[in-house]
Amino acid sequence: MTTQTKDAIKNSFMKLLNRKPLSKITVKEIVEDCGINRNSFYYHFEDIPHLIEEIFNEQADAFFQPEQNESIYGCMTTAIRFALQNKTAMMHIFNSANREMFERYLNSVAARTVESYVEYYTANYRISDENREALVLYYKSLLIGFVMDWLSGGMRYDLAEKLRRVCGVFEGTFDNAMRNCSKMKE
């Protein structure tokens, strides 16, 4: 029952966020929409920002599925699909007074996704922790840059297509970076 209640809260919140700005959503509206009492909300979540954080973290976990995605591009297209399915909600969060919170979450999600990707795909290479951190920083920064540009432009262009092109242009650079990192002396 607890998982069902949490899921109901998340679904109600996303439904509301796809209809109106974040600043206009209250805990009262969320609990009324999903048919629970206020205490149930606070049993599961400290507040709305913590609710958003959990939703973003769950999505980050879903983005990186190495058995389904052979590349960072595959991870990103999963994330892009979620963003497009919730385009209004994403724009409401991005354009909210809590933009700093959104950027923190984006940074966290990008870091978790890229760290998981790098960890999974570098298992066969002997790479120092410093080089691994450098790879994560590089790819995380690229990812955040792409997403911020896309959101700043109102999600008007096809980010999946742009990333496909970029990945095509730079194909092999990740493997090359792995080889270079494994050859580097500390």
Side-chain angles (χ1 to χ4, degrees):
M1 186 68 151
T2 300
T3 302
Q4 289 175 329
T5 303
K6 269 184 107 165
D7 288 345
I9 292 168
K10 290 181 229 174
N11 291 335
S12 290
F13 173 72
M14 288 304 294
K15 182 169 76 175
L16 291 166
L17 190 58
N18 273 301
R19 284 195 233 157
K20 60 181 155 177
L22 179 59
S23 62
K24 304 285 185 200
I25 298 173
T26 64
V27 171
K28 180 181 180 198
E29 284 179 292
I30 296 169
V31 299
E32 285 176 358
D33 185 77
C34 63
I36 62 169
N37 66 44
R38 215 171 157 77
N39 289 337
S40 293
F41 177 92
Y42 288 111
Y43 174 79
H44 296 289
F45 302 101
E46 186 176 318
D47 53 20
I48 291 176
H50 284 91
L51 169 61
I52 296 169
E53 183 174 14
E54 183 161 323
I55 292 168
F56 277 29
N57 286 334
E58 282 180 0
Q59 289 305 310
D61 291 342
F63 299 156
F64 183 73
Q65 298 294 325
E67 60 279 355
Q68 296 172 10
N69 299 308
E70 294 181 13
S71 68
I72 197 80
Y73 172 73
C75 297
M76 283 306 302
T77 54
T78 303
I80 292 166
R81 273 194 301 274
F82 172 78
L84 287 172
Q85 289 167 352
N86 296 284
K87 183 176 181 176
T88 303
M90 294 297 106
M91 292 309 298
H92 282 154
I93 294 171
F94 182 72
N95 292 318
S96 75
N98 294 330
R99 173 110 172 237
E100 185 179 311
M101 174 189 67
F102 173 79
E103 290 175 5
R104 239 185 359 262
Y105 293 154
L106 176 60
N107 189 56
S108 174
V109 166
R112 285 178 61 197
T113 302
V114 172
E115 284 169 3
S116 296
Y117 178 81
V118 168
E119 197 63 39
Y120 183 81
Y121 288 103
T122 61
N124 296 327
Y125 294 93
R126 292 179 50 121
I127 298 174
S128 70
D129 290 341
E130 292 81 10
N131 286 342
R132 186 171 277 110
E133 288 173 14
L135 284 169
V136 169
L137 177 63
Y138 176 76
Y139 284 101
K140 178 187 80 159
S141 298
L142 283 174
L143 178 57
I144 290 170
F146 282 123
V147 172
M148 291 299 287
D149 182 74
W150 184 50
L151 290 168
S152 294
M155 301 169 74
R156 288 189 181 94
Y157 59 85
D158 185 346
L159 181 58
E161 173 58 22
K162 295 280 188 206
L163 285 174
R164 187 191 65 74
R165 287 185 176 280
V166 168
C167 289
V169 168
F170 292 98
E171 186 172 346
T173 56
F174 185 78
D175 290 328
N176 192 34
M178 296 305 102
R179 285 189 295 278
N180 289 339
C181 285
S182 63
K183 291 183 217 173
M184 287 177 75
K185 303 261 190 249
E186 292 311 306

